Amino acid sequence: METEGVIQFELDFRLTAPPAARLIRELESWRRLLFRLGLTGQDPSRYGGLAYGNVSRRLAGRQFLVSGTQTGMLARLETRHYCVVERCEPADNRIVAHGPIQPSSEAMTHAAAYAASPTIGWVLHVHSPELWEHANRLGLAMTGPSLPYGTPGMAAAVGNLLAANPAQVIAMGGHRDGLIATGDTIENAALPLLKLLAAALYLA
């Protein structure tokens, strides 16, 4: 299994001012809850000590706002911790983005989710050993174990699963403890994830 947080794609990045505060307010309130539950964060004993977890919301078309690389360990993010992905080119393994910080290493997977269905407005990438280990018993769809995080292969697999069912929680088979949750609202992305976490803790 690979570590978390290393950008796997070619990045065309422009340093610009932070996004408007109104764009992150709702996303950030839910992200703080995910942090308190340990679904984003940092653990010296896991993933080489690197931070994990990232969140995003759709803007216009397929553009989206996403938390920056290696910000998962922060309890509270500000506008300077978010950037905008303008375009994703999976065939060339390339992302075009701008902002005060580079995008999350999972930006390509987020982009694939938004491309899969126009109804997807929010994407949460979290880590949960309990959920991941019980994914089959909980009936979660799962990507193949040979697909690394942040790559066109992982993005394509997630996109295919979401095209069939745009609102679901997906386990990332080749990304230890990794899961993706999507929804048309952030509540519809987060609440099923939290219910599944409760069920996984019961099984554990």
Side-chain angles (χ1 to χ4, degrees):
M1 294 289 181
E2 82 301 314
T3 56
E4 170 83 2
V6 180
I7 291 177
Q8 306 285 322
F9 46 79
E10 179 185 340
L11 178 62
D12 182 348
F13 179 74
R14 291 182 294 114
L15 189 64
T16 64
R22 63 179 173 77
L23 294 176
I24 76 162
R25 192 169 293 120
E26 187 177 13
L27 182 61
E28 180 57 19
S29 65
W30 281 89
R31 184 204 166 274
R32 290 177 193 170
L33 176 59
L34 298 178
F35 180 86
R36 291 185 183 187
L37 293 172
L39 296 173
T40 70
Q42 187 176 35
D43 182 342
S45 67
R46 291 191 285 160
Y47 327 126
L50 293 173
Y52 59 90
N54 39 77
V55 296
S56 70
R57 62 167 295 180
R58 189 192 292 270
L59 297 176
R62 293 186 183 177
Q63 293 190 14
F64 59 93
L65 186 77
V66 65
S67 51
T69 183
Q70 285 300 292
T71 57
M73 80 291 275
L74 301 174
R76 182 182 296 259
L77 300 189
E78 301 174 0
T79 55
R80 62 190 174 92
H81 297 119
Y82 284 89
C83 69
V84 174
V85 170
E86 304 170 27
R87 191 166 71 253
C88 176
E89 301 168 356
D92 298 321
N93 194 27
R94 181 171 178 264
I95 291 264
V96 180
H98 72 267
I101 189 172
Q102 293 186 0
S104 159
S105 58
E106 284 289 356
M108 187 163 289
T109 302
H110 287 252
Y114 295 119
S117 172
T119 65
I120 293 175
W122 309 78
V123 177
L124 310 174
H125 170 54
V126 302
H127 279 220
S128 169
E130 297 87 359
L131 255 176
W132 196 81
E133 289 167 8
H134 293 288
N136 287 332
R137 293 180 68 184
L138 293 168
L140 299 185
M142 181 178 284
T143 61
S146 64
L147 298 172
Y149 79 96
T151 61
M154 175 65 81
V158 168
N160 288 338
L161 291 172
L162 290 173
N165 180 5
Q168 64 175 312
V169 179
I170 294 171
M172 305 168 85
H175 187 31
R176 181 87 192 172
D177 304 334
L179 300 112
I180 291 283
T182 63
D184 57 342
T185 66
I186 194 160
E187 291 90 346
N188 287 341
L191 292 179
L193 175 67
L194 300 184
K195 289 179 181 178
L196 283 165
L197 176 60
L201 292 172
Y202 175 81
L203 292 173

